[in-house]
Amino acid sequence: MKNTKYVFVTGGVTSSLGKGIIAASLAKLLQARGYSVTIQKLDPYINIDPGTLNPYEHGECYVTNDGAETDLDLGHYERFLNIPTSQANNVTTGRIYQSVIDKERRGDFLGKTVQVIPHITDEIKHRIQILGKTGEFDIVITEIGGTVGDIESLPYVEAVRQLEWELGKNNSVVIHLTLVPFLAAAGELKTKPTQHSVKMLMQSGVSPDVLVCRTEHHLSEDIKRKLALFCNVQQEDVIESIDADTIYDVPMLMFEEGLDEVVLDKLALPVNTKPDLTAWNNFLKKHKNPKSTVEIGLVGKYVELQDAYKSIVESFIHAGSTYEIDVNIHWIHSEELTEKNAASKLKGLHGVLVAPGFGERGIEGKIKAIQYVRENNIPFFGICLGMQMAVIEFARNVVGLSDANSTEMNKTTPHPVISLMEEQKNIVNMGGTMRLGAWSCKLTKSSKVYEAYHTEMISERHRHRYEFNNAYLDKITAAGMKVSGINPDTNLVEIIELPSHPWFVGVQYHPEYKSTVLNPHPLFVAFIKACLDYKNSLT
Ligand code: GLN
């Protein structure tokens, strides 16, 4: 049983400063020094989870092994640390209130008035300590979403204040991430927004122990001294976080600034070992010195907001490094693809990925893209909706079922080759009711996917309601589409591929959630290799 210590990461001045990346980078350094670390995100919004949020609103919804629909920062945590997260790693205000209200309805409060303080703050403190109480971790890093000073963040800051007091000296650290803007007209970096933000935090009774300052220019010792003096920290506790070429540079930048040492020191934990970042730096070296480039089309309907496909983009980076390749993504809006322009829009690409998604918008464009790459032997990778569209395209254009569709798009289609899962039929609530989380899948030995995974049994994460309709299995396979992965318990089709095509694979699950820096996902690696081979075959 470990005596778990806590690090809280708050944010000030503006949102989008990258608290998640700072938290993940610190965790990476601590892990590289031999500590066991996990990261948790508290989100101060009222949705129970981001599962029901539009990707335009919130970016990608990340899914954990245990089926939690979570904030995309959890993806960064897993990609950096190479260890899985779970429902306990993401808590929203909605979930906090829901459990307090459930307790109230059960009569657990014994007639007391239920209030923000102490009941909501107690629930927050309980949720923060759930991971610590497993005894698995030396350090739990808790990232508090939002910006200090927001009304909705107040109970979280109060919970941190109480918890710091309860945990006692050397058991917790508060890191405050702020922005030090550069005023071009004055030619100066400005410390005032940070001073105000720290003042705001202190008004709530929390004094930051460490300041991490996002900046476009190096902070001089003078600026650091000024920040330290006015924000009541030591000068070595002011950490510069300068803009980086890639998020994967941030751990090394934080190491050079001494963030991990400062934190360990404050937690009274030994600093003597050097962090071992050999594998990480090998990845970085290959990622930054590519020997060639492949051009990949990413066809989706949320391409205006690239955060909607965060894990896919990162998976390409991981897989690209394996072959020392720069994966250049061309964002293609599925709504803009038509029969007429598919050839010109997809010209010059070495591979096409058709993205996950929900609803009808843009699906005909996805189908056109798939037809084009199938007929022209261009490598294809379909994920979730992308796989379903590949089945529809094949059913329409090869099997000859010209009206084939998914019942998600057309409830009365005469050929529902993709249809609602039996257990989904009576579901009314939208939140948390999809087929979610890790499910096992058995691969067929002579297949592209087996070549990629080198194993028969795999487990991958899911997030969908519709599935391949097994009533069409015989017709579709007879026409040449192969089912190369099946859920052994339910017989649901997990993977389809075309043996007659150089690389045409569609998966019902989301491989992108499991790709990490140290373990690039085998299917992304195989797809990139196929794209590279295709590119080389052209010359
Ligand atoms: N909309 C499809 C379904 O629910 C696919 C979901 C997805 O791509 N994540 O089955």
Side-chain angles (χ1 to χ4, degrees):
M1 195 73 180
K2 297 181 191 277
N3 168 29
T4 305
K5 309 218 175 197
Y6 294 85
V7 176
F8 302 105
V9 182
T10 59
V13 184
T14 74
S15 57
S16 308
L17 289 181
K19 281 196 294 281
I21 301 299
I22 294 295
S25 300
L26 171 62
K28 183 76 225 168
L29 293 173
L30 297 171
Q31 185 191 53
R33 285 182 186 271
Y35 291 101
S36 60
V37 193
T38 190
I39 318 172
Q40 173 191 47
K41 170 106 192 253
L42 304 182
D43 276 310
Y45 53 72
I46 296 174
N47 304 65
I48 300 292
D49 60 42
T52 52
L53 287 175
N54 187 324
Y56 285 129
E57 187 89 7
H58 194 263
E60 169 187 277
C61 172
Y62 185 77
V63 179
T64 57
N65 278 336
D66 64 350
E69 296 177 281
T70 72
D71 187 78
L72 58 76
D73 272 344
L74 272 78
H76 291 308
Y77 306 162
E78 290 204 11
R79 290 187 281 271
F80 275 55
L81 294 184
N82 207 29
I83 55 167
T85 54
S86 69
Q87 178 67 73
N89 294 72
N90 192 196
V91 181
T92 67
T93 293
R95 203 171 280 277
I96 302 271
Y97 271 78
Q98 190 181 49
S99 56
V100 171
I101 291 168
D102 285 349
K103 281 186 198 154
E104 187 274 337
R105 292 288 82 184
R106 282 201 305 266
D108 291 0
F109 295 113
L110 305 172
K112 288 253 183 265
T113 308
V114 181
Q115 293 177 295
V116 173
I117 301 190
H119 302 101
I120 295 297
T121 44
D122 280 354
E123 184 65 26
I124 296 174
K125 288 192 288 179
H126 164 69
R127 297 283 180 152
I128 292 174
Q129 291 176 99
I130 285 180
L131 288 161
K133 286 186 175 153
T134 61
E136 265 178 72
F137 302 105
D138 298 306
I139 300 162
V140 173
I141 301 180
T142 298
E143 177 194 343
I144 313 231
T147 308
V148 163
D150 295 347
I151 291 175
E152 53 191 23
S153 298
L154 283 174
Y156 292 93
V157 176
E158 170 61 11
V160 168
R161 187 194 67 74
Q162 292 184 17
L163 207 49
E164 281 222 286
W165 185 86
E166 287 167 11
L167 291 164
K169 211 170 153 40
N170 296 332
N171 286 321
S172 66
V173 168
V174 175
I175 298 177
H176 190 55
L177 176 65
T178 74
L179 176 71
V180 177
F182 179 74
L183 286 194
E188 267 184 88
L189 286 165
K190 291 292 180 189
T191 64
K192 196 71 78 160
T194 300
Q195 294 181 43
H196 279 294
S197 167
V198 169
K199 198 164 146 191
M200 187 91 77
L201 195 54
M202 285 172 126
Q203 272 169 0
S204 308
V206 174
S207 316
D209 301 295
V210 181
L211 294 180
V212 176
C213 304
R214 282 296 306 273
T215 174
E216 291 171 7
H217 299 271
H218 286 294
L219 303 182
S220 65
E221 286 306 307
D222 254 11
I223 295 269
K224 281 193 173 179
R225 188 174 171 279
K226 193 170 170 190
L227 283 163
L229 178 65
F230 291 110
C231 299
N232 221 17
V233 296
Q234 296 301 308
Q235 198 164 326
E236 65 265 23
D237 301 334
V238 179
I239 305 288
E240 166 191 293
S241 170
I242 199 149
D243 289 357
D245 293 343
T246 147
I247 54 171
Y248 299 111
D249 274 335
V250 182
M252 275 320 276
L253 290 172
M254 289 301 103
F255 173 67
E256 281 156 19
E257 281 285 301
L259 176 64
D260 54 332
E261 279 199 42
V262 163
V263 167
L264 286 172
D265 195 51
K266 292 187 190 301
L267 294 175
L269 290 169
V271 187
N272 38 20
T273 52
K274 262 203 100 178
D276 180 4
L277 287 166
T278 320
W280 185 271
N281 287 334
N282 279 344
F283 153 80
L284 257 184
K285 210 163 108 200
K286 289 197 269 176
H287 169 52
K288 289 186 150 187
N289 301 291
K291 299 208 166 88
S292 62
T293 306
V294 288
E295 309 294 334
I296 306 282
L298 195 158
V299 180
K301 68 169 172 178
Y302 305 112
V303 293
E304 306 90 324
L305 182 77
Q306 298 177 359
D307 266 4
Y309 304 109
K310 194 83 209 161
S311 294
I312 292 178
V313 173
E314 300 306 318
S315 301
F316 276 136
I317 293 176
H318 308 152
S321 85
T322 308
Y323 289 104
E324 295 170 77
I325 289 174
D326 179 33
V327 178
N328 188 21
I329 299 178
H330 298 247
W331 298 88
I332 300 170
H333 205 302
S334 49
E335 271 183 310
E336 290 164 11
L337 270 169
T338 60
E339 176 134 36
K340 279 209 184 94
N341 70 15
S344 67
K345 284 212 181 265
L346 304 175
K347 208 173 127 212
L349 297 177
H350 305 127
V352 168
L353 183 144
V354 176
F358 293 84
E360 214 188 339
R361 186 165 69 89
I363 63 145
E364 292 303 326
K366 287 185 170 175
I367 291 173
K368 287 287 166 294
I370 296 169
Q371 181 177 3
Y372 181 81
V373 295
R374 180 178 57 76
E375 290 176 349
N376 290 281
N377 287 325
I378 299 168
F380 163 76
F381 193 10
I383 298 183
C384 208
L385 186 69
M387 171 269 197
Q388 297 175 354
M389 293 301 117
V391 172
I392 293 171
E393 190 280 321
F394 191 81
R396 285 186 189 175
N397 299 326
V398 181
V399 184
L401 308 172
S402 58
D403 307 323
N405 213 330
S406 161
T407 53
E408 180 181 5
M409 318 306 166
N410 177 358
K411 279 198 174 50
T412 56
T413 170
H415 295 296
V417 291
I418 303 293
S419 63
L420 204 56
M421 282 183 268
E422 209 43 51
E423 69 264 27
Q424 287 284 335
K425 288 192 174 148
N426 297 318
I427 285 176
V428 188
N429 275 352
M430 298 304 278
T433 55
M434 279 186 255
R435 182 178 182 223
L436 289 165
W439 293 81
S440 47
C441 167
K442 189 165 189 242
L443 307 182
T444 309
K445 275 206 162 154
S446 53
S447 64
K448 301 234 167 50
V449 285
Y450 185 82
E451 270 170 40
Y453 283 96
H454 304 294
T455 179
E456 236 182 309
M457 285 304 294
I458 58 163
S459 167
E460 292 280 4
R461 300 183 195 171
H462 291 249
R463 184 173 186 249
H464 64 113
R465 288 185 205 283
Y466 295 82
E467 59 163 323
F468 184 106
N469 182 349
N470 276 331
Y472 288 88
L473 185 67
D474 290 345
K475 265 202 177 112
I476 288 176
T477 51
M481 181 170 264
K482 177 175 178 145
V483 169
S484 54
I486 289 216
N487 178 309
D489 307 313
T490 59
N491 257 346
L492 291 179
V493 170
E494 297 279 7
I495 310 173
I496 55 96
E497 53 183 79
L498 292 179
S500 59
H501 185 284
W503 210 89
F504 188 105
V505 174
V507 292
Q508 183 57 79
Y509 51 83
H510 291 265
E512 71 275 22
Y513 295 144
K514 282 184 72 172
S515 182
T516 70
V517 165
L518 298 189
N519 281 323
H521 194 284
L523 282 187
F524 277 87
V525 174
F527 175 57
I528 289 302
K529 174 75 169 62
C531 298
L532 189 64
D533 291 346
Y534 175 73
K535 178 185 174 183
N536 292 338
S537 76
L538 299 175
T539 49

